[in-house]
Amino acid sequence: MAVAEFTPTYSETRSLSSQFSSLTKTRLSYNRLNLLRPLQKPHNARVFCSVAPNQVQAPVAPQQIDNPKSKHECFGVFCVTYDLKAEEQTKSWKKLINIAVSGAAGMISNHLLFKLASGEVFGPDQPIALKLLGSERSFEALEGVAMELEDSLYPLLREVSIGIDPYDVFQDVEWALLIGAKPRGPGMERAGLLDINGQIFAEQGKALNAVASRNAKVIVVGNPCNTNALICLKNAPNIPAKNFHALTRLDENRAKCQLALKAGVFYDKVSNVTIWGNHSTTQVPDFLNAKIGGLPAKDVIKDNHWLENEFTEKVQKRGGALIKKWGRSSAASTAVSIVDAIRSLVTPTPKGDWFSSGVYTSGNPYGIAEDIVFSMPCRSDGNGDYELVKDVIIDDYLRERIKKTEAELLAEKRCVAHLTGEGNAFCDLPEDTMLPGEQ
Ligand SMILES: NC(=O)C1=CN([C@@H]2O[C@H](COP(=O)(O)OP(=O)(O)OC[C@H]3O[C@@H](n4cnc5c(N)ncnc54)[C@H](OP(=O)(O)O)[C@@H]3O)[C@@H](O)[C@H]2O)C=CC1
Ligand SMILES: O=C([O-])CC(=O)C(=O)O
């Protein structure tokens, strides 16, 4: 089978994505086999793409399948399944968006990437380019990931590129999903973890600052995610601090599940659940403002002791309980919660409800210390931004616990001052500072 070879220059490679945006209307019929021809590797990046530059191929109609001359333009299952309805669909496709994922060869990404490519995150009319960030150690694994994406034949997935240099991978990205981080090893101090991972997020923040879209949305998953997000935003002053999120949606989902179980209802009845503070065992799952079937959760469950003790601790330590059973940390449910977090920003929040996200505190209405990343209740009108919800009740019970998780985050911030441009670090972390996955 004849396959067009091409070896574009680096600047041609860079211009590919913009060409893709204008091509999306007719691309469904392009040769899928040609898709993943590796281009020359510029700056450690490799691009897998679906057409050669300056080689726009004509759409292939189904009747051409048997014409040997046109066979190289049309590949296997794509020729067989291509139909005009699908072409009609591409006419309504939106402009291509660039999404970067770090730690792309890791466990969470292995679930997330396929959700992104399927259209379940950004919608069935949103073509995407995936830019996968790995390292020397994971480069081959990244190629394997790209091959699996290729074999999945996702129509909306227009481009996959892999690389180990964030300055290449983050070029023009509208979304950066920062998952890669070193796990805490045996005997490693929390301060050590903050420093090692903090350096990763400082570097990635600088790269985002230099090359990402000025309005990029950044979701930090790699732990300790709140402080990593703070480091990242401090190193990316060109991007609004408001655009940075630390993932606490998994905690919210865990809390909803426990409330539903206790109330004996399906979890779609549970709403208005806030996780306050740090993605750690000091986080505060808020049952005071939570609702079940539209009623206050406290009035439905009528067991304050359970809410204040078992419920709270279960949510705080759910990650660790799962690791005990599985022998590894939550990956699938984390990927699902990343999907939820993105969808909460790109679709309007249902009236009266809200979602939790770790966001920058400056200007918050709850009296939480300024200049940290703290999980709070947010609403969005679906344009990628959010606002903080004002009408929540904070009683003495909540306030006391919010103070504790706030103190922990302020201590983490002092610990990484050398990475946020605020002078010398001073680490006085409280003894109980743990990730949800730690016991
Ligand atoms: N916020 C949340 O709710 C949750 C957060 N997490 C966090 O998400 C992160 C990723 O989890 P998961 O995908 O399961 O982890 P994996 O171990 O499967 O993958 C993590 C990736 O991180 C990268 N990494 C970056 N720096 C290092 C380093 N110094 N040493 C080792 N690996 C490194 C590796 O990729 P490469 O070599 O390509 O850089 C690796 O593939 C973790 O920090 C975890 O704690 C997990 C669950 C929930
Ligand atoms: O501790 C971890 O790595 C896993 C984690 O964040 C969680 O399960 O919430």
Side-chain angles (χ1 to χ4, degrees):
M1 183 175 295
V3 174
E5 290 283 354
F6 58 99
T7 315
T9 62
Y10 180 60
S11 58
E12 281 170 325
T13 308
R14 290 264 56 91
S15 73
L16 265 176
S17 2
S18 54
Q19 291 189 31
F20 283 163
S21 350
S22 59
L23 290 173
T24 50
K25 283 187 182 162
T26 50
R27 291 284 297 291
L28 197 64
S29 54
Y30 290 153
N31 180 345
R32 189 73 185 187
L33 181 63
N34 284 353
L35 286 197
L36 303 185
R37 307 298 303 168
L39 305 185
Q40 202 176 37
K41 199 171 148 192
H43 296 247
N44 296 323
R46 182 173 296 183
V47 177
F48 293 92
C49 65
S50 49
V51 291
N54 310 321
Q55 267 197 327
V56 179
Q57 298 165 10
V60 180
Q63 64 270 23
Q64 287 179 299
I65 292 169
D66 291 324
N67 175 353
K69 271 188 157 177
S70 65
K71 263 201 166 152
H72 73 279
E73 293 173 346
C74 179
F75 172 61
V77 75
F78 250 77
C79 299
V80 179
T81 57
Y82 176 69
D83 62 41
L84 290 174
K85 267 190 276 159
E87 194 190 40
E88 273 301 302
Q89 201 183 353
T90 62
K91 288 188 182 146
S92 61
W93 279 9
K94 297 176 182 159
K95 186 173 169 286
L96 180 109
I97 53 170
N98 293 308
I99 304 164
V101 180
S102 76
M107 291 192 302
I108 296 171
S109 296
N110 194 39
H111 296 272
L112 178 66
L113 293 172
F114 295 84
K115 291 176 172 295
L116 291 166
S118 74
E120 79 175 88
V121 185
F122 289 99
D125 54 355
Q126 179 60 74
I128 63 168
L130 283 177
K131 293 163 163 263
L132 311 182
L133 179 65
S135 66
E136 296 281 2
R137 92 195 128 229
S138 68
F139 197 78
E140 290 231 343
L142 272 193
E143 290 183 305
V145 171
M147 286 162 69
E148 282 216 85
L149 286 166
E150 177 183 23
D151 293 344
S152 303
L153 305 178
Y154 288 117
L156 290 164
L157 182 58
R158 312 312 296 172
E159 180 185 345
V160 176
S161 58
I162 63 180
I164 64 173
D165 180 348
Y167 285 84
D168 283 329
V169 176
F170 293 163
Q171 188 79 46
D172 299 328
V173 298
E174 281 106 352
W175 288 84
L177 312 177
L178 305 184
I179 301 173
K182 185 180 170 67
R184 174 150 32 162
M188 187 191 276
E189 296 284 330
R190 169 94 169 175
L193 185 73
L194 276 165
D195 182 51
I196 290 177
N197 283 334
Q199 296 195 32
I200 295 173
F201 287 88
E203 191 205 5
Q204 293 182 1
K206 288 189 175 85
L208 286 167
N209 196 53
V211 299
S213 151
R214 298 302 74 174
N215 196 27
K217 307 291 186 284
V218 183
I219 300 186
V220 177
V221 179
N223 276 318
C225 61
N226 294 57
T227 298
N228 288 340
L230 181 72
I231 294 168
C232 199
L233 75 85
K234 290 283 181 181
N235 283 279
N238 291 339
I239 299 172
K242 201 181 174 200
N243 290 15
F244 289 75
H245 298 258
L247 185 79
T248 55
R249 187 54 172 267
L250 176 60
D251 307 295
E252 176 186 321
N253 290 354
R254 287 166 169 167
K256 281 180 167 162
C257 176
Q258 293 307 318
L259 289 173
L261 264 171
K262 181 72 174 173
V265 299
F266 197 59
Y267 40 69
D268 64 345
K269 296 279 178 294
V270 184
S271 64
N272 302 81
V273 173
T274 308
I275 300 295
W276 295 95
N278 202 0
H279 176 69
S280 79
T281 51
T282 64
Q283 67 178 264
V284 187
D286 177 350
F287 52 81
L288 180 66
N289 292 285
K291 290 186 179 156
I292 300 176
L295 298 169
K298 279 179 90 162
D299 295 352
V300 176
I301 287 178
K302 296 192 175 89
D303 185 347
N304 235 26
H305 185 268
W306 180 85
L307 287 166
E308 289 185 7
N309 298 286
E310 283 101 309
F311 164 71
T312 299
E313 192 173 327
K314 235 183 184 149
V315 176
Q316 290 168 333
K317 296 189 173 168
R318 180 72 163 180
L322 186 125
I323 290 171
K324 267 196 183 155
K325 299 277 182 197
W326 246 117
R328 60 152 186 77
S329 66
S330 311
S333 56
T334 306
V336 169
S337 73
I338 297 169
V339 171
D340 291 341
I342 299 170
R343 284 174 56 82
S344 288
L345 292 168
V346 298
T347 51
T349 310
K351 198 168 180 317
D353 202 0
W354 59 71
F355 59 90
S356 305
S357 188
V359 291
Y360 193 53
T361 49
S362 290
N364 80 85
Y366 318 113
I368 292 159
E370 305 268 304
D371 202 31
I372 52 177
V373 171
F374 199 91
S375 184
M376 301 184 279
C378 305
R379 289 183 52 79
S380 175
D381 60 12
N383 63 358
D385 288 326
Y386 63 88
E387 59 188 36
L388 294 174
V389 176
K390 295 198 178 62
D391 49 346
V392 288
I393 305 159
I394 300 185
D395 66 1
D396 289 346
Y397 170 91
L398 272 186
R399 191 167 296 108
E400 191 189 313
R401 277 151 190 82
I402 285 173
K403 279 281 156 215
K404 191 172 170 203
T405 195
E406 178 194 69
E408 179 180 70
L409 280 166
L410 288 168
E412 288 189 17
K413 182 183 167 190
R414 287 191 290 277
C415 222
V416 298
H418 59 305
L419 298 170
T420 56
E422 279 155 31
N424 293 332
F426 168 67
C427 243
D428 60 343
L429 294 171
E431 222 175 286
D432 63 356
T433 302
M434 309 252 279
L435 297 174
E438 294 172 329
Q439 293 284 345

